């Protein structure tokens, strides 16, 4: 039987977020008795590293933080590094020294700054996460806070409510775009697309600041097969690098596509 994930006796803020732990358990239970390689970016005093070490009895647990970490670890299954999450040469060195075949799990609980998270995400995801591996980004909603480095408070944009007249106009543009006339007249389709961008621009409220903005970029990666679809999108076609992406309050779970 798998051991539960109880952080109450560890010095980690994960102990405060019990729903985080419940979500982690859903993904981690099947890995618990494997020789898991886990990397956590941002570990503060290392409490979460001890939690992962004790949860994965055969795991190698690796942590990176700006500040050096002092930990008592008689098991010898914890490795720590100090440096910046955005330092891709350091990330390569960590990968080569601790998980040459790739990590099974990477958790980013680090700066929570969108542009830094993006650098380490794509570098680690592409080069150091195993196919089928899991990448977790914590605390993505910092992008909704004025007081956060790159966050701003949520101000729902003014949006057009449903207007039957506008809806009919949209429908007309969609039909026009597909009409023989538009395919024959030079630039007609380009003109309609431009019009659609203006008219449809204020349909939805979206907040694109800080880490929230980066997470929304990742939603576009989920849509890559359709973004690049030869008949409707912009080829060359490629499938999404993600098998799935689950966004939940405070956490995003991304599973890398199995090749
Ligand atoms: C929320 S704390 C980590 C908490 C820890 N994961 C836990 O569960 O207890 C964030 C940590 O990220 C580190 N940090 C912030 N920006 C960083 C960066 N650019 N590179 C590396 N570490 C960073 C901070 O030093 C801090 O210790």
């Amino acid at each position: 039987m798998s051991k539960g994930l109880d952080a109450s006796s560890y010095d980690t803020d994960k102990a405060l977020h019990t729903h985080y732990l419940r979500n982690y358990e859903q993904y981690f239970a099947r890995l618990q008795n494997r020789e898991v390689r886990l990397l956590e970016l941002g570990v503060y005093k290392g409490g979460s590293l001890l939690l992962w070490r004790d949860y994965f009895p055969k795991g190698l647990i690796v942590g990176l933080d700006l500040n050096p970490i002092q930990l008592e670890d008689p098991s010898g299954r914890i490795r720590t590094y100090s440096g910046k999450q955005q330092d891709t040469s350091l990330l390569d060195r960590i990968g080569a020294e601790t998980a040459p075949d790739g990590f099974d799990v990477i958790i980013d609980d680090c700066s929570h700054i969108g542009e830094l998270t993006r650098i380490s995400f794509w570098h680690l995801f592409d080069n150091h996460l195993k196919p089928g591996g899991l990448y977790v980004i914590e605390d993505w909603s910092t992008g909704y806070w004025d007081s956060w480095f790159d966050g701003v408070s949520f101000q729902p944009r003014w949006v057009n409510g449903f207007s039957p007249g506008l809806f009919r106009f949209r429908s007309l543009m969609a039909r026009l775009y597909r009409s023989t006339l538009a395919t024959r007249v030079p630039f007609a389709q380009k003109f309609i697309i431009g019009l659609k961008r203006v008219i449809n621009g204020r349909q939805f409220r979206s907040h694109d600041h800080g880490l929230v903005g980066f997470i929304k970029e990742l939603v576009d990666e989920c849509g890559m097969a359709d973004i690049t679809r030869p008949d409707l999108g912009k080829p060359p076609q490629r499938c999404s690098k993600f098998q799935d992406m689950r966004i939940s309050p405070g956490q995003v779970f991304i599973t890398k596509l199995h090749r």
Side-chain angles (χ1 to χ4, degrees):
M1 203 174 108
S2 73
K3 179 174 172 274
L5 198 43
D6 176 3
S8 54
S9 55
Y10 297 85
D11 184 7
T12 161
D13 61 1
K14 289 175 180 46
L16 306 172
H17 303 299
T18 47
H19 67 288
Y20 280 21
L21 296 174
R22 280 198 300 277
N23 290 337
Y24 275 127
E25 263 196 288
Q26 286 178 10
Y27 287 89
F28 288 176
R30 69 181 177 86
L31 300 172
Q32 191 171 22
N33 291 309
R34 303 227 187 121
E35 292 179 8
V36 160
R37 304 270 157 143
L38 181 151
L39 169 65
E40 183 161 8
L41 306 176
V43 294
Y44 189 47
K45 294 181 185 160
S48 54
L49 299 180
L50 298 173
L51 172 70
W52 305 135
R53 178 200 65 184
D54 296 344
Y55 182 78
F56 295 110
K58 299 180 193 159
L60 181 74
I61 311 300
V62 185
L64 166 70
D65 202 281
L66 275 181
N67 303 311
I69 308 139
Q70 309 264 312
L71 271 187
E72 284 286 312
D73 174 40
S75 79
R77 292 190 291 109
I78 295 182
R79 307 281 152 77
T80 58
Y81 292 82
S82 58
K84 297 178 180 164
Q85 78 171 127
Q86 63 272 29
D87 179 348
T88 53
S89 338
L90 173 61
L91 298 178
D92 285 338
R93 180 159 74 82
I94 296 173
E97 289 175 1
T98 62
D101 297 328
F103 289 102
D104 300 275
V105 178
I106 299 176
I107 298 169
D108 181 341
D109 184 17
C110 204
S111 66
H112 308 311
I113 294 173
E115 59 189 334
L116 304 185
T117 305
R118 180 204 267 143
I119 294 170
S120 41
F121 177 85
W122 282 117
H123 191 75
L124 289 168
F125 187 91
D126 283 340
N127 303 298
H128 298 288
L129 185 66
K130 282 183 185 166
L134 180 70
Y135 201 110
V136 187
I137 300 174
E138 281 196 14
D139 302 338
W140 59 273
S141 350
T142 51
Y144 294 118
W145 297 337
D146 284 328
S147 57
W148 197 259
F149 183 90
D150 55 354
V152 294
S153 56
F154 181 62
Q155 287 176 342
R157 291 196 309 177
W158 173 83
V159 290
N160 294 316
F162 180 74
S163 143
L166 261 180
F167 188 81
R168 276 197 294 277
F169 188 66
R170 283 193 188 103
S171 152
L172 175 71
M173 284 194 293
R175 273 183 282 129
L176 251 181
Y177 183 84
R178 289 193 298 265
S179 68
T180 333
L181 181 71
T183 51
R184 289 198 183 144
V185 175
F187 303 114
Q189 285 189 319
K190 278 204 166 137
F191 176 74
I192 295 167
I193 295 168
L195 208 55
K196 271 174 84 176
R197 281 193 193 276
V198 175
I199 303 284
N200 295 351
R202 287 209 163 265
Q203 263 192 293
F204 302 102
R205 319 160 176 212
S206 187
H207 182 95
D208 289 325
H209 299 273
L211 202 39
V212 176
F214 175 55
I215 300 305
K216 290 182 181 177
E217 269 188 21
L218 296 180
V219 173
D220 293 334
E221 178 58 36
C222 284
M224 199 45 76
D226 289 313
I227 289 174
T228 56
R229 194 173 134 161
D231 53 344
L232 298 170
K234 289 205 163 58
Q237 193 173 27
R238 74 163 174 86
C239 61
S240 169
K241 296 177 180 182
F242 302 167
Q243 187 171 298
D244 54 52
M245 170 170 172
R246 171 180 158 192
I247 305 177
S248 64
Q251 286 167 308
V252 178
F253 293 84
I254 294 163
T255 307
K256 184 170 177 173
L257 195 69
H258 279 277
R259 289 272 169 216

